[in-house]
Amino acid sequence: RELAQAAVVPLMMFLFMLRLHWIMALVMLIPMILGIAVPMMLMGRYPDMSDELAADTEKLNASANEFITAMPVIKMYHLTAEKFEQYRNALNLYTTCWKEMCVYSCNPLSIALVILDSAILFTLPVGGWLFLRGSLPVASYLLFMLLTMCFFTSFLNLVTIAMQSMELGSGLDNIKKIMDMDEMKSGSKTLAKDGCYDIEFENVTFNYTEGGKDALASVSLHLEPGSLNAFVGPSGAGKTTAVQLLGRYWDTTSGTIRIGGVPVTDLKTENLMDLTAFVFQDVFLLEDTLLENIRMGTNATEEQVREAAKAAQIDDFIMGLPKGYATRIGDEGVKLSGGQQQRISIARAILKDAPIVVFDEATSYSDIENEHKIQLALQNLLKGKTTIMIAHRLHTIRDADKIVVFQNGTVAEQGTHRELVAKKGVYGQMWDVYTRETAGNPQEDTTMPFGKQKKGGGLNAAYN
């Protein structure tokens, strides 16, 4: 609105004055041209300085955020002075750059303002000369004097907006880079949410940066409908990347991923989201009530939410709070442990009831008691689902239908626990190391492996 007003008002006034007396209208343009040309000639480095200021602002924000959020770790390792010095240096860079910009632009802008504010000194003598010659009526002469002052008052608003645009140029360039990225196109096909589907990776290759190292290289695997599958391997082997490609957080560089025989790129984005439920290692919680956190993205009733919470082994804890499901969490509410957050996330997934479930390191933040509750919750979540579990605690996935071992972005081997241990390959070595490390911790192996329920055995049958 301000830009339109600043541009339209001077334009309409100029057209009116041009119609009234074209010579006076052209004379009035002289200070405007000088007022624009002088700063442009004297401020050639201003856009570069704006880019530098934007970079310094980014460093300052990152340093302040790190100093505040990492305060417990900083104090523990006696890095308070060092990190504060880092923040102070970032602040000094920012203020120095800002002062340099002000000094650099002060003289050119002052000259421009003097020229524009003294525009009447151009029209006054020319108008007087034309009046004396009889070519400009006195009424028009006086009107031009008034319009000249009004014209440049409006024009100064346009100059101010132009200066602000130059300062925002760097940020706008970054936004433009994002807007110019290729849009992830949605497909047109759909699959029923109540189905049970297989998952297939066919020669899938992916890298995060063009020309960079492949995070996945020629990965091919097939997961049966309704099966429990585990992805294992060292950190950085490509496990999380593979499951994120399944949900189209990125698209593959080459190769195809299919759900129920349909490439994920051919599925509607909304349908793909309905088909998959992700329970991540790092749980994101809204600063809202526990009720809204569990039924996120759904229109579930409070009764349905509570049923999901019971299945996720978190209902007893919530009902023990003074406000129950109306309890807020976050900075202004209660704090949840890692295991409790995991169970909230599992309750979300149970409520979503997607046919494909991806679970990233189920018990990474849990003690023995919480790990047991999370595993009970997962037995409810995984019934009849095609499941992928990323796990480092190998005892939790011994009963998986298929274990896929990732190494350096490729599938090193795949099979059941017994098959891979007997093979004495990569997984066999991992299992030997794991069992040696846990030999001195009997509690580690008393937690129950995930597995399918057996008829008539209830939940505990999976653990016998």
Side-chain angles (χ1 to χ4, degrees), residues 191 197-198 246 257-262 264 267 272 275-276 356:
L191 292 172
Y197 304 105
D198 68 327
L246 175 65
I257 301 175
R258 297 182 179 88
I259 295 177
V262 180
V264 293
L267 292 170
L272 179 60
L275 294 173
T276 54
I356 296 172

Side-chain angles (χ1 to χ4, degrees), residues 32 70 86 141 150 197 235 280 344 371 389 401 427 449:
M32 185 181 75
Q86 181 180 326
Y141 180 39
C150 296
Y197 304 105
S235 297
F280 293 108
I344 293 290
E371 182 174 358
M389 301 191 67
D401 297 305
Y427 182 81

Side-chain angles (χ1 to χ4, degrees), residues 179-236:
M179 298 301 293
D180 288 342
M181 289 181 178
D182 293 335
E183 182 179 356
M184 187 175 286
K185 297 180 180 178
S186 178
S188 58
K189 297 181 180 180
T190 59
L191 292 172
K193 186 180 176 181
D194 57 357
C196 187
Y197 304 105
D198 68 327
I199 299 171
E200 181 183 5
F201 284 64
E202 182 182 354
N203 295 321
V204 171
T205 297
F206 174 76
N207 53 61
Y208 288 95
T209 57
E210 187 175 351
K213 181 182 178 181
D214 290 340
L216 292 178
S218 301
V219 170
S220 295
L221 57 92
H222 182 262
L223 311 178
E224 295 293 337
S227 60
L228 174 62
N229 307 274
F231 286 1
V232 301
S235 297

Side-chain angles (χ1 to χ4, degrees), residues 67-375:
F67 185 70
I68 294 171
T69 58
M71 184 58 70
V73 177
I74 291 173
K75 284 184 175 181
M76 181 185 300
Y77 291 98
H78 307 291
L79 295 174
T80 306
E82 180 181 332
K83 288 299 178 181
F84 182 76
E85 183 68 19
Q86 181 180 326
Y87 166 73
R88 186 167 61 181
N89 291 339
L91 182 60
N92 289 337
L93 282 174
Y94 172 81
T95 53
T96 300
C97 183
W98 182 254
K99 290 177 182 177
E100 288 177 354
M101 285 182 65
C102 292
V103 172
Y104 181 75
S105 61
C106 182
N107 289 337
L109 290 179
S110 299
I111 294 171
L113 289 175
V114 169
I115 293 174
L116 294 175
D117 285 339
S118 60
I120 197 170
L121 298 180
F122 291 84
T123 55
L124 184 64
V126 175
W129 179 70
L130 292 173
F131 169 71
L132 293 175
R133 291 188 56 187
S135 59
L136 181 66
V138 65
S140 299
Y141 180 39
L142 295 176
L143 181 61
F144 261 102
M145 297 304 102
L146 293 173
L147 290 178
T148 297
M149 292 183 286
C150 296
F151 175 85
F152 284 101
T153 299
S154 300
F155 183 72
L156 279 172
N157 294 333
L158 188 61
V159 173
T160 302
I161 292 174
M163 291 296 299
Q164 292 173 346
S165 298
M166 290 176 66
E167 293 173 5
L168 295 173
S170 177
L172 293 174
D173 288 341
N174 292 333
I175 293 174
K176 187 176 184 300
K177 290 177 183 177
I178 296 174
M179 298 301 293
D180 288 342
M181 289 181 178
D182 293 335
E183 182 179 356
M184 187 175 286
K185 297 180 180 178
S186 178
S188 58
K189 297 181 180 180
T190 59
L191 292 172
K193 186 180 176 181
D194 57 357
C196 187
Y197 304 105
D198 68 327
I199 299 171
E200 181 183 5
F201 284 64
E202 182 182 354
N203 295 321
V204 171
T205 297
F206 174 76
N207 53 61
Y208 288 95
T209 57
E210 187 175 351
K213 181 182 178 181
D214 290 340
L216 292 178
S218 301
V219 170
S220 295
L221 57 92
H222 182 262
L223 311 178
E224 295 293 337
S227 60
L228 174 62
N229 307 274
F231 286 1
V232 301
S235 297
K239 308 180 296 296
T240 300
T241 299
V243 297
Q244 289 179 338
L245 290 176
L246 175 65
R248 287 198 75 190
Y249 291 91
W250 293 276
D251 275 339
T252 62
T253 304
S254 63
T256 306
I257 301 175
R258 297 182 179 88
I259 295 177
V262 180
V264 293
T265 51
D266 291 346
L267 292 170
K268 288 185 177 180
T269 302
E270 297 82 0
N271 183 237
L272 179 60
M273 296 300 102
D274 288 338
L275 294 173
T276 54
F278 285 78
V279 181
F280 293 108
Q281 180 176 354
D282 296 317
V283 180
F284 175 78
L285 296 177
L286 303 171
E287 291 197 14
D288 205 337
T289 64
L290 287 165
L291 177 68
E292 295 302 327
N293 267 281
I294 293 176
R295 71 176 176 192
M296 180 188 293
T298 70
N299 296 317
T301 64
E302 187 169 349
E303 290 74 17
Q304 291 172 320
V305 169
R306 190 167 181 190
E307 287 300 316
K310 287 178 180 178
Q313 308 296 310
I314 193 66
D315 178 69
D316 290 342
F317 165 75
I318 295 175
M319 294 305 295
L321 297 171
K323 295 184 179 179
Y325 283 83
T327 303
R328 295 185 65 87
I329 60 176
D331 292 338
E332 298 180 359
V334 300
K335 304 292 185 181
L336 301 181
S337 69
Q340 290 163 348
Q341 291 182 33
Q342 286 278 10
R343 281 179 276 155
I344 293 290
S345 185
I346 293 171
R348 286 176 182 169
I350 291 174
L351 200 58
K352 187 176 183 181
D353 195 28
I356 296 172
V357 179
V358 177
F359 206 102
D360 188 354
E361 191 52 50
T363 55
S364 56
Y365 299 135
S366 304
D367 54 28
I368 298 300
E369 180 182 358
N370 269 322
E371 182 174 358
H372 173 73
K373 290 180 178 179
I374 288 174
Q375 289 169 337

